[in-house]
Amino acid sequence: MKISLIVAISENGIIGKHGGGIPWKLKWDAEHFRSFTAGKWMLLGRKTYLEMEGWFTSQTPVVLTSQSDFPIFQKEHHRAVDIQEAIQLASDAGADELVISGGAQVYETALPFVDEMFITRVRERSETGVKFPPISSLDQWETTELEFHPADVDNSHDASLEKMVRKNG
Ligand SMILES: NC(=O)c1ccc[n+]([C@@H]2O[C@H](COP(=O)([O-])OP(=O)(O)OC[C@H]3O[C@@H](n4cnc5c(N)ncnc54)[C@H](OP(=O)(O)O)[C@@H]3O)[C@@H](O)[C@H]2O)c1
């Protein structure tokens, strides 16, 4: 099973506001996120899962939480207490791919297991917020795709979408 990661990051590493929410509005990126995850298993931290209530359609979310009685929104959703349990759940169900979908704590925990990353790099510098963890050993990754998306009436900032693949992956 492939493990991918999807994230949007500002120029100074911010992925979200403290207390929830994202400091930009990119219509193309929201559409890309929905179509990329369609039909796939997703791993989310408890805080991000709660922010996304009502968003899931064909996706199968697994919520990472230490709370064994955490109430999931629908019976088709899953709960895992650690990354190993989440990977096992998706793999046992025959999933082809598990998409690591944030937030910051989950990205940090899952990064060592990730084969490829889809990073939306947003040309903005938020003052404060929740940060993406540093990617150690950047030389282990290569950029295989890069496309630019200019700001316009539906998109608050210039941004680019970068696909990075682990070299030995
Ligand atoms: N820009 C983007 O692409 C993007 C994507 C997703 C999210 N975000 C943003 O990220 C922010 C949220 O990130 P966050 O780091 O604060 O929260 P988070 O990762 O969404 O959730 C944190 C919670 O997940 C659980 N958790 C995390 N790691 C765990 C582990 N190893 N084992 C067991 N449980 C674990 C814990 O839940 P319990 O406390 O229940 O144990 C923890 O409190 C929001 O602002 C959101 O909008 C941005």
Side-chain angles (χ1 to χ4, degrees):
M1 182 179 71
K2 189 199 309 186
I3 301 187
S4 59
L5 181 153
I6 189 163
V7 65
I9 314 180
S10 76
E11 287 179 334
N12 54 334
I14 303 288
I15 64 162
K17 299 178 193 169
H18 289 301
I22 288 173
W24 47 79
K25 190 168 174 1
L26 298 176
K27 189 177 179 201
W28 72 264
D29 191 49
E31 288 169 357
H32 168 253
F33 182 59
R34 181 169 286 288
S35 65
F36 180 77
T37 57
K40 294 179 184 171
W41 284 60
M42 300 172 71
L43 181 66
L44 305 128
R46 191 250 312 155
K47 293 181 187 171
T48 299
Y49 178 72
L50 288 173
E51 268 184 41
M52 292 175 68
E53 180 170 11
W55 181 88
F56 303 99
T57 50
S58 61
Q59 296 82 359
T60 304
V62 181
V63 192
L64 205 56
T65 173
S66 59
Q67 306 169 48
S68 57
D69 57 351
F70 176 75
I72 47 178
F73 301 138
Q74 296 178 32
K75 62 176 174 24
E76 298 80 13
H77 297 184
H78 301 268
R79 205 176 24 230
V81 294
D82 57 31
I83 180 82
Q84 285 81 6
E85 186 186 4
I87 292 171
Q88 197 66 50
L89 266 171
S91 172
D92 287 352
D96 296 328
E97 183 173 348
L98 177 65
V99 186
I100 310 303
S101 308
Q105 288 185 32
V106 169
Y107 289 134
E108 182 154 25
T109 304
L111 210 40
F113 301 90
V114 170
D115 303 305
E116 53 186 46
M117 303 193 277
F118 295 81
I119 303 180
T120 296
R121 298 196 183 278
V122 188
R123 300 241 173 110
E124 87 112 37
R125 299 184 76 80
S126 306
E127 291 293 310
T128 60
V130 182
K131 283 204 160 190
F132 192 76
I135 303 174
S136 59
S137 312
L138 253 182
D139 58 340
Q140 286 178 6
W141 295 88
E142 67 179 331
T143 298
T144 58
E145 290 170 32
L146 188 61
E147 60 185 44
F148 179 63
H149 293 262
D152 61 21
V153 66
D154 291 320
N155 297 285
S156 59
H157 296 81
D158 286 346
S160 50
L161 176 60
E162 180 174 7
K163 179 178 178 184
M164 295 181 85
V165 177
R166 197 185 284 279
K167 283 180 187 165
N168 58 358

